[in-house]
Amino acid sequence: MGRKPDPAKPHYGGGSASPKTARRAQPSPVFLGTALFVLGFVSLFTGHIVTDADWSRSRSRWRSNQVRNTEPIDIWKSRYSNLYYGCSGRSPKLRSAVPENSSTGYLLIATSGGLNQQRIGITDAVVVAWILNATLVVPELDHRSFWKDDSEFSDIFDTDWFISYLSKDVTVVKRIPYEVMISMDKLPWTMRAPRKSMPEFYIDEVLPILMRRRALQLTKFDYRLTNDLDEELQKLRCRVNFHALRFKKPIQTLGKKLVRRLRVMSSRYVAIHLRFEPDMLAFSGCYYGGGEKERKELAEIRKRWDTLPQDLSAEDERTRGKCPLTPHEIGLMLRALGFGNETYLYVASGEIYGGEETLRPLRELFPNFYTKEMLAGDDLKPFLPFSSRLAAVDFIVCDESDVFVTNNNGNMAKVLAGRRRYMGHKRTIRPNTKKLNVLFQTRNQTGWDTFSRKVKKIQRGLMGEPDDPRHGRDDFHEMPSSCICQRVPVNRSATIQTRNLLSQVR
């Protein structure tokens, strides 16, 4: 196939000179030797011997610093991804599931939001059931949110697999037994937990009601459990999210079919989760250049949320990095990072505000542009009335991509970023919206080479490296660190040399 015209560079004048870039400190063997000398010096006082693990951690930190500061980044794959792997095995020390007839009662969960927001709620519901020694009833999905999807849990997830996989951790049933229901004096109690509640809240406030009423429902269950849990409960979260929640066969079949169709055309592809729907833009409070018509339309949609300020400054939000990148900006970022116009894109999105006119600049930058509608054809018809099933298909194709990119910090972006770390650290790019927005404001006055160099500099630390420090540290779903282990290096000669050095210091 002949090379297509490249529409990226004409967006910038070619005559501006490149500014001098700040020189980065170059890590050297002296740095590593000094660090190890300090470890040895400390050991003189503590009696601590530097072990293979100490060496591995020190080398990992040093290497990560190299990756961030000096090494050219392979935009398709991290060279260190094979040194890390998901590890969420169940510890023998963790209490086993309590049998249904011995549990404290039946815990019902009503989730909230779209597919991935509900996924987070389901994951946390299992942990709360474990904390309460309760029997978990298969969670109820949200039918009343903006998406208005009538799908049940069993329409999206493999219910039998979910129950079986978690059987050692928590007892899960499809419904409260009929004989229990008719024996209850009152209907299940309904309550809502505060956001990010600690385990103590569930023990002190929820458990007494559950034991008294035998059944209790927690409503609007999303982000109702803290991120700050002990390691074994975090691993339980990972077992639920990355193993127990398996999509139904028809969803898996279609998702994998789309992946195969992409792979026939190209050996690798980039997936973009593009949130640019009218409600999402209205919620953000941002402005995207559509004039008074856009301002009025988005302001009217924003009135749906009583708790949101109606006089938000769009300019302030953009300065703070709170505005999602436009399709055009995402395309420019990818081209600046080094993805050529021959790159195949899979775009996962809902209704794009502005329609084809908004998408046109991205298509021009990447002519090999595909969506599930384009790839699936008639195979998609049974899914069309169900937004969550459509989202599940997008989830699979994005998860299987070589590179995943997002223009937002929403639930699908977080869940997929965490999953891709756990499943082998596949390249995941999160835009630094705050700094990129400043750069985009002057893009027409900046030469392409200068612009590209600045984008690469801005994005260091947000390219999905295994030891990436700059994103998601406060969100376990995005950065499941308790469930990621590092392989012991095969070459141990450096460790022996280090021990010899430390013995001389002593």
Side-chain angles (χ1 to χ4, degrees), residues 48-62:
H48 174 71
I49 303 298
V50 179
T51 64
D52 288 357
D54 295 321
W55 163 257
S56 179
R57 282 191 292 269
S58 178
R59 192 179 73 164
S60 175
R61 286 192 291 270
W62 176 71

Side-chain angles (χ1 to χ4, degrees), residues 210-228:
L210 176 63
M211 295 183 71
R212 187 168 65 248
R213 300 293 292 262
R214 297 187 66 190
L216 179 147
Q217 183 182 54
L218 297 175
T219 62
K220 204 170 176 58
F221 201 79
D222 59 340
Y223 292 99
R224 302 294 160 173
L225 182 62
T226 178
N227 275 321
D228 187 18

Side-chain angles (χ1 to χ4, degrees), residues 121 132 170 360 406 462:
L132 297 174
V170 171
R360 181 178 53 80
T406 177
L462 292 169

Side-chain angles (χ1 to χ4, degrees), residues 368-392:
N368 296 312
F369 176 109
Y370 293 91
T371 64
K372 57 183 174 292
E373 290 81 5
M374 296 168 67
L375 290 170
D378 290 343
D379 290 340
L380 200 61
K381 284 184 178 179
F383 297 82
L384 291 177
F386 308 101
S387 60
S388 290
R389 298 182 213 185
L390 292 173

Side-chain angles (χ1 to χ4, degrees), residues 467-488:
D467 200 24
D468 185 351
R470 291 178 58 187
H471 225 302
R473 291 294 182 189
D474 61 342
D475 191 314
F476 183 78
H477 298 285
E478 182 176 354
M479 186 75 73
S481 52
S482 300
C483 305
I484 296 174
C485 296
Q486 184 176 354
R487 302 182 196 280
V488 176

Side-chain angles (χ1 to χ4, degrees), residues 146 279-280 282-283 301-310:
F146 174 83
D279 67 299
M280 193 266 188
F283 189 90
I301 296 173
R302 192 172 175 82
K303 291 178 182 178
R304 297 176 186 170
W305 296 283
D306 296 335
T307 57
L308 295 182
Q310 301 301 315

Side-chain angles (χ1 to χ4, degrees), residues 9 90 100 140 180 201 268 386 420 425 429 441:
K9 295 185 180 180
R90 191 176 191 282
E100 182 179 355
E140 174 189 330
V180 174
F201 168 82
R268 55 192 185 184
F386 308 101
R420 289 170 66 86
H425 279 89
I429 300 175
Q441 289 175 17

Side-chain angles (χ1 to χ4, degrees), residues 138-322:
V138 169
E140 174 189 330
L141 299 189
D142 186 351
H143 300 154
R144 296 177 294 278
S145 69
F146 174 83
W147 290 269
K148 292 183 170 55
D149 189 327
D150 292 334
S151 298
E152 302 293 347
F153 185 99
S154 59
D155 294 322
I156 297 174
F157 300 107
D158 186 335
T159 307
D160 291 334
W161 171 262
F162 181 77
I163 294 171
S164 173
Y165 190 90
L166 295 172
S167 60
K168 292 183 180 179
D169 295 304
V170 171
T171 298
V172 184
V173 296
K174 294 181 179 179
R175 61 189 64 83
I176 299 177
Y178 176 74
E179 58 272 17
V180 174
M181 286 292 292
I182 61 174
S183 68
M184 292 169 53
D185 296 332
K186 301 177 181 178
L187 291 174
W189 185 264
T190 298
M191 65 182 294
R192 184 178 300 174
R195 290 179 71 83
K196 299 184 178 180
S197 295
M198 298 296 288
E200 289 76 16
F201 168 82
Y202 290 99
I203 293 171
D204 296 340
E205 304 294 332
V206 178
L207 183 58
I209 300 173
L210 176 63
M211 295 183 71
R212 187 168 65 248
R213 300 293 292 262
R214 297 187 66 190
L216 179 147
Q217 183 182 54
L218 297 175
T219 62
K220 204 170 176 58
F221 201 79
D222 59 340
Y223 292 99
R224 302 294 160 173
L225 182 62
T226 178
N227 275 321
D228 187 18
L229 296 174
D230 71 51
E231 185 170 293
E232 289 306 322
L233 291 185
Q234 298 287 46
K235 287 180 180 290
L236 175 55
R237 262 179 167 155
C238 292
R239 291 197 293 280
V240 180
N241 198 1
F242 305 137
H243 298 284
L245 283 172
R246 188 167 74 179
F247 291 125
K248 286 288 292 285
K249 194 69 174 177
I251 294 173
Q252 287 193 56
T253 299
L254 181 57
K256 291 177 180 177
K257 182 182 289 187
L258 302 194
V259 172
R260 286 196 302 272
R261 289 175 180 173
L262 281 167
R263 296 287 185 202
V264 166
M265 294 183 284
S266 176
S267 61
R268 55 192 185 184
Y269 68 94
V270 175
I272 303 177
H273 181 225
L274 192 59
R275 288 298 311 275
F276 213 70
E277 300 92 340
D279 67 299
M280 193 266 188
L281 300 187
F283 189 90
S284 73
C286 299
Y287 171 68
Y288 290 93
E292 193 60 28
K293 177 175 181 289
E294 177 189 314
R295 295 183 191 278
K296 287 182 178 179
E297 286 177 348
L298 297 186
E300 190 62 31
I301 296 173
R302 192 172 175 82
K303 291 178 182 178
R304 297 176 186 170
W305 296 283
D306 296 335
T307 57
L308 295 182
Q310 301 301 315
D311 57 348
L312 208 60
S313 167
E315 185 175 330
D316 288 348
E317 292 303 288
R318 183 167 289 275
T319 301
R320 293 170 57 215
K322 299 298 182 182

